[in-house]
């Protein structure tokens, strides 16, 4: 299959492909999505095939207008309207009890469905033009860093999907916050730009944080958020998160650079004095910049062909919680803390 790179104006063509059961890579504010008609089992199965995605990992359904939700879920709890007013369109995904029109392939057999209204003009226009809700996971090969440009989508999906629409780089850079309203108390399943504190404020109650957000899910445990159990977001290089001050971080990386092909992801203000390839994370205080650069930096490690990448651990404030959550999965849940003794 030849994959066409479409311009952001070519909405009609994207809509036509989607209505005919095809796959289109689409820009959203979080990351690029790999979209198909969410109401067609056949179309949705193609997503799993193109990505090599495990079939127990459910997809998010994207809508462009709030009233589309009525047909997709069994019941709309009133708080959904409060959340929608505060955060939609935007990077919040809400898990609700599904209706019968959602195929089991979308939800990986669960009786719940994840729904989001993206805040990206091109994504909204494509959903409207397609005339159906769109199931869309991130448009990367499963396990690889998520795509934040159309070129990233092409790297992974060229020859596997019908088209990619180029809408420029994504403004957020990490996937949406996911919460479920199907547990006794609202629960955060995946951190993103919208923080648990912001959601709690709107709901007027504390929200729980699922165990999977922090840690590895052990074999045999049943995760609430199936996607969180996989090693994820990884370049070919080994990712090591280093928690240290700038001097210790630099000294440690330079020591390792003597023995192997390494790179470092560093804050802009500490970039001098490294004896290896460096990639810029943004300023230390700029959590949005860390989110913006994370996945493209991890992809660049593959272009550099390094064996190991050392990532200077960012703060967990704001969207930093989501950045660390993704980094932990890329690094197989290990953080190296340097207090000086290790050097
Ligand atoms: P992705 O589309 O690759 O960003 O992944 C979407 C993630 O949303 C999945 O990996 C799940 O963790 C989560 N998700 C989607 N649908 C559900 C659901 N019905 N229940 C719980 N989590 C879900
Ligand atoms: Mg994904």
């Amino acid at each position: 299959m030849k994959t066409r790179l479409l311009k952001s104006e070519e909405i009609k063509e994207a809509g036509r492909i989607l209505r005919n059961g095809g796959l289109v890579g689409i820009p959203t504010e979080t990351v690029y999505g790999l979209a198909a008609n969410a109401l067609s089992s056949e179309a949705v199965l193609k997503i799993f095939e193109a990505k090599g995605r495990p079939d127990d990992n459910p997809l998010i359904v994207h809508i462009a207008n709030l009233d589309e939700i009525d047909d997709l879920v069994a019941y709309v709890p009133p708080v959904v309207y409060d959340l929608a007013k505060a955060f939609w369109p935007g990077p919040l995904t809400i898990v609700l009890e599904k209706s019968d029109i959602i195929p089991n392939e979308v939800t990986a057999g669960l009786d719940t469905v994840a729904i989001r209204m993206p805040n990206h003009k091109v994504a909204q226009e494509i959903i409207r033009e397609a005339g159906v809700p769109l199931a869309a996971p991130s448009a990367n090969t499963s396990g690889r860093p998520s795509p934040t440009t159309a070129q990233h989508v092409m790297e992974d999906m060229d020859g596997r999907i019908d088209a990619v629409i180029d809408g420029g780089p994504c403004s957020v850079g990490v996937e949406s916050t996911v919460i479920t309203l199907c547990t006794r108390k609202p629960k955060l399943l995946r951190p993103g730009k919208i923080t648990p504190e912001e959601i709690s404020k709107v709901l007027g109650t504390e929200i729980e944080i699922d165990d999977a957000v922090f840690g590895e899910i052990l074999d045999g445990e049943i995760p609430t958020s199936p996607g969180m159990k996989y090693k994820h977001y990884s370049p070919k290089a080994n990712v090591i998160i280093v928690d240290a001050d700038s001097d210790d971080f630099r000294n440690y990386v330079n020591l390792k650079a003597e023995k192997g092909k390494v790179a470092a992801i560093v804050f802009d203000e500490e970039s001098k004095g490294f004896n290896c390839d460096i990639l810029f994370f943004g300023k230390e205080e700029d959590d949005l910049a860390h989110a913006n650069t994370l996945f493209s930096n991890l992809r660049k490690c593959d272009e550099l062909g390094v064996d190991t990448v050392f990532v200077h651990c960012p703060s967990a404030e704001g969207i930093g919680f989501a950045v660390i959550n993704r980094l932990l999965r890329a690094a197989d849940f290990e953080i190296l803390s340097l207090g000086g003794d290790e050097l």
Side-chain angles (χ1 to χ4, degrees):
M1 175 188 295
K2 176 144 178 46
T3 301
R4 294 161 61 200
L5 186 57
L6 302 176
K7 295 200 185 70
S8 61
E9 306 81 63
E10 292 180 87
I11 306 285
K12 282 214 165 4
E13 183 55 13
R16 192 191 61 79
I17 295 169
L18 289 162
R19 275 195 307 278
N20 288 338
L23 300 184
V24 181
I26 63 167
T28 81
E29 77 278 30
T30 56
V31 300
Y32 271 71
L34 182 52
N37 177 357
L39 305 182
S40 158
S41 300
E42 208 185 314
V44 164
L45 280 173
K46 292 182 192 164
I47 294 180
F48 286 89
E49 206 175 270
K51 279 179 63 83
R53 183 172 174 107
D55 60 10
D56 63 351
N57 193 358
L59 308 177
I60 294 171
V61 175
H62 294 73
I63 58 174
N65 297 307
L66 190 53
D67 57 11
E68 289 171 57
I69 201 172
D70 297 341
D71 290 342
L72 308 178
V73 305
Y75 159 73
V76 187
V79 291
V80 167
Y81 297 107
D82 300 331
L83 291 169
K85 187 157 180 251
F87 304 117
W88 278 359
L92 176 71
T93 295
I94 307 175
V95 174
L96 297 164
E97 225 177 289
K98 86 178 193 71
S99 74
D100 292 341
I101 68 164
I102 302 281
N104 287 329
E105 288 77 8
V106 170
T107 63
L110 298 172
D111 49 18
T112 55
V113 61
I115 299 182
R116 176 166 110 81
M117 189 192 294
N119 186 18
H120 194 294
K121 214 170 135 276
V122 176
Q124 291 169 359
E125 285 174 1
I126 293 172
I127 298 167
R128 291 196 182 108
E129 183 64 35
V132 285
L134 298 179
S138 50
N140 52 306
T141 303
S142 246
R144 295 256 298 144
S146 300
T148 54
T149 65
Q151 288 67 38
H152 293 162
V153 180
M154 277 306 228
E155 269 169 36
D156 284 15
M157 291 296 150
D158 195 8
R160 297 174 159 266
I161 64 176
D162 298 281
V164 182
I165 284 224
D166 190 348
C170 301
S171 60
V172 175
V174 293
E175 301 85 346
S176 57
T177 306
V178 181
I179 61 160
T180 178
L181 299 181
C182 297
T183 42
R184 207 170 51 79
K185 282 191 183 162
K187 201 185 226 189
L188 180 82
L189 302 182
R190 178 173 75 183
K193 179 161 191 280
I194 296 169
T195 63
E197 296 76 25
E198 289 174 295
I199 297 168
S200 289
K201 232 185 230 169
V202 171
L203 294 178
T205 58
E206 286 280 295
I207 67 169
E208 293 183 341
I209 312 271
D210 195 76
D211 292 344
V213 169
F214 296 109
E216 205 167 356
I217 294 172
L218 302 173
D219 277 352
E221 275 184 64
I222 298 172
T224 331
S225 182
M228 295 299 260
K229 71 182 173 183
Y230 296 105
K231 181 164 183 191
H232 223 129
Y233 316 117
S234 293
K236 292 181 192 98
N238 200 15
V239 178
I240 299 183
I241 309 167
V242 184
D243 184 14
D245 68 26
S246 279
D247 288 338
D248 285 351
F249 178 63
R250 185 184 302 103
N251 291 338
Y252 183 78
V253 168
N254 283 343
L255 205 68
K256 293 291 173 182
E258 285 172 18
K259 295 180 201 131
K261 203 160 165 22
V262 310
I265 299 182
V266 311
F267 301 126
D268 294 2
E269 54 273 56
E270 65 181 3
S271 62
K272 293 215 165 64
F274 283 89
N275 300 329
C276 64
D277 285 311
I278 56 168
L279 299 161
F280 291 91
F281 217 170
K283 291 220 165 70
E284 183 164 9
E285 297 299 318
D286 191 351
D287 55 337
L288 246 187
H290 305 157
N292 257 259
T293 55
L294 176 70
F295 289 136
S296 59
N297 276 337
L298 292 177
R299 279 177 180 263
K300 279 181 203 152
C301 293
D302 284 346
E303 285 166 31
L304 293 170
V306 296
D307 300 319
T308 307
V309 55
F310 296 97
V311 185
H312 203 167
C313 187
S315 143
E317 288 301 306
I319 200 171
F321 187 27
V323 172
I324 290 185
N325 171 273
R326 307 306 192 272
L327 269 175
L328 276 171
R329 279 158 182 78
D332 237 349
F333 298 94
E334 268 183 63
I335 298 189
L336 178 68
S337 287
L338 297 182
D341 298 348
E342 294 83 352
L343 299 175

